[in-house]
Amino acid sequence: MTRRISILGATGSVGQSTIDLIARDPDAYDVVAVTGGGNAEGLARDAIRLGAEVAVCADDGCLPVLRDALAGTGIEAATGRAALLEAAARPVDWTMSAIVGFAGLEPGLAALAAGGTLALANKESLVSAGPILLAEAERHGATVLPVDSEHSAIFQALAGEDMASVESVVVTASGGGLRDWPLERLSAATPEEAGRHPNWDMGNRITIDSASMFNKAMELIEAHELFHLDPARIEAVIHPQSLIHALVQFRDGAMMAHMGAPDMRHAIGYALHWPERRHLPVDRLNLAEVARLDFHAPDPVRYPAIPLAFEVMRGGALTGAAFNAAKEAALDHFIARAIRFTAMAPLVEEVLRRMAPRLDGDTITLDMVSETDRAARREAAQIVTERPAWI
Ligand code: NAD
Ligand code: MG
């Protein structure tokens, strides 16, 4: 039986790895929607290769190129946010949510409304609106499966286990591209230097977030939301080889570690075939060649995003939405060379401090999350124009 699938963020790093797996077994899938931000030519090429029903670019300016590239193929071409949400809402069995940033939240929610499985790479939706996303899945009988490699690893280590027997989880971190730089050099790091990863080949934004460990901060919050774990039971550890992706500590003293080559096609493929395990084209580890595995605790001075993540978890309500937006804004300002690498964490902290009175609430709605997202970006821009000394 063929499965109907959609790929949101198809032109990105996770999207392309997803397509690599799908294209190896074309008869098994009916591809409904593929979406991208820009890159209409690349998107059209993939839509044709996969025989998709519709291809959507979020950027309206892409329409002429997309239409031209798909002329005569019978594949619908559309652009803009409304078209993206409409395509995401088309009923399918499985959707890959791999848009980067807060922009991925609403398309993910639209996909959940159709009741299929949402393979969730877009961690920003969990950090900004975890309870909303999971409640929406439950309301529609939909399934959310983690695709972030650490959370896929935790999910796999938890298979068949009772959550009551879990003491803690440990997510591993590579330490990012600047991990061996002397502390005093970090403030001079450029977006290019921060955008090189020692182990993983990923999109530019998440690669820079790995260097600052904002990515790990996001993942700690993601684990808190997905597995309903108290912050005191979640920990990050630096593991430079990136071969163990996460560990679960059980109450009988056993620790289950998930190991594998650093290749997103493992986590994507696991979510694609779950609950089965099928052959995947990822490298196998030769333990004698691996020889050793190193671990050390992240230094909070080098990686201030980690202690911030715990504040965000303790804050709850709209704190995650403000944190995510402030982090996205800080990254935008760093990429635009308006602030230093080391100014990102103080900027996020200052946005949270200024917004603190506005982040409480018993029940949070999507409108409240969206308003918080916009307000946090405005606050970040305001602080950057004030140019405090640390910027
Ligand atoms: P990427 O930048 O390579 O791709 C992002 C995709 O989103 C592209 O298709 C892009 O065109 C699209 N996009 C960007 N802005 C958009 C907008 N406003 N509206 C609609 N579409 C838009 O990113 P990536 O590295 O593939 O990451 C995708 C998501 O998966 C992120 O949330 C990231 O944190 C998460 N993730 C990525 C990896 C990885 O290995 N790359 C690992 C774990 C989690
Ligand atoms: Mg990850």
Side-chain angles (χ1 to χ4, degrees), residues 78-303:
T79 58
R81 185 78 180 163
L84 169 64
L85 294 175
E86 185 277 324
R90 294 192 188 189
V92 290
D93 302 304
W94 190 89
T95 301
M96 168 51 74
S97 167
I99 291 172
V100 64
F102 184 72
L105 172 61
E106 275 185 280
L109 288 170
L112 285 175
T117 294
L118 188 71
L120 190 65
N122 179 268
K123 62 190 82 186
E124 295 88 348
S125 19
L126 278 172
V127 173
S128 307
I132 295 176
L133 191 94
L134 297 178
E136 192 66 0
E138 198 169 319
R139 195 156 77 85
H140 296 287
T143 306
V144 175
L145 294 177
V147 171
D148 211 344
S149 55
E150 296 76 3
H151 306 78
S152 174
I154 296 169
F155 185 67
Q156 292 179 52
L158 288 175
E161 302 286 354
D162 180 350
M163 278 309 286
S165 65
V166 174
E167 267 180 10
S168 62
V169 303
V170 183
V171 294
T172 59
S174 68
L178 309 177
R179 65 188 180 199
D180 298 324
W181 281 36
L183 268 183
E184 59 280 8
R185 250 189 90 196
L186 283 182
S187 67
T190 65
E192 291 73 27
E193 287 163 335
R196 283 182 220 119
H197 201 282
N199 307 329
W200 293 90
D201 179 11
M202 310 185 286
N204 186 49
R205 297 183 71 88
I206 185 174
T207 304
I208 299 176
D209 280 349
S210 297
S212 61
M213 268 177 87
F214 264 112
N215 181 49
K216 213 48 56 180
M218 298 280 289
E219 290 180 356
L220 292 168
I221 303 167
E222 193 184 356
H224 167 65
E225 295 293 348
L226 261 180
F227 303 109
H228 311 290
L229 285 163
D230 191 75
R233 301 202 291 154
I234 310 173
E235 181 188 346
V237 70
I238 296 190
H239 165 47
Q241 291 93 351
S242 296
L243 296 175
I244 290 183
H245 306 302
L247 309 95
V248 177
Q249 170 75 68
F250 292 94
R251 65 180 167 200
D252 60 356
M255 202 173 217
M256 304 286 274
H258 180 283
M259 267 183 100
D263 183 333
M264 280 307 289
R265 292 177 305 173
H266 171 72
I268 297 167
Y270 186 78
L272 182 63
H273 301 306
W274 179 86
E276 285 175 37
R277 280 188 191 273
R278 300 226 186 128
H279 173 84
L280 291 172
V282 299
D283 287 348
R284 275 41 178 171
L285 295 180
N286 177 325
L287 289 180
E289 272 171 25
V290 169
R292 58 181 277 181
L293 299 168
D294 297 301
F295 304 94
H296 63 268
D299 169 6
V301 176
R302 181 179 286 272
Y303 300 115

Side-chain angles (χ1 to χ4, degrees), residues 7 21 113 123 153 175 183 191 235 244 246 283 327 338 352 374 386:
I7 306 168
L21 294 179
K123 62 190 82 186
L183 268 183
E235 181 188 346
I244 290 183
D283 287 348
K327 185 229 70 147
L352 291 179
R374 287 189 294 271
E386 291 169 12

Side-chain angles (χ1 to χ4, degrees), residues 214 303-305 308 330 340-350 390:
F214 264 112
Y303 300 115
L308 257 177
R340 298 166 195 272
F341 179 76
T342 45
M344 287 193 283
L347 177 54
V348 172
E349 210 173 339
E350 181 61 12
W390 40 264

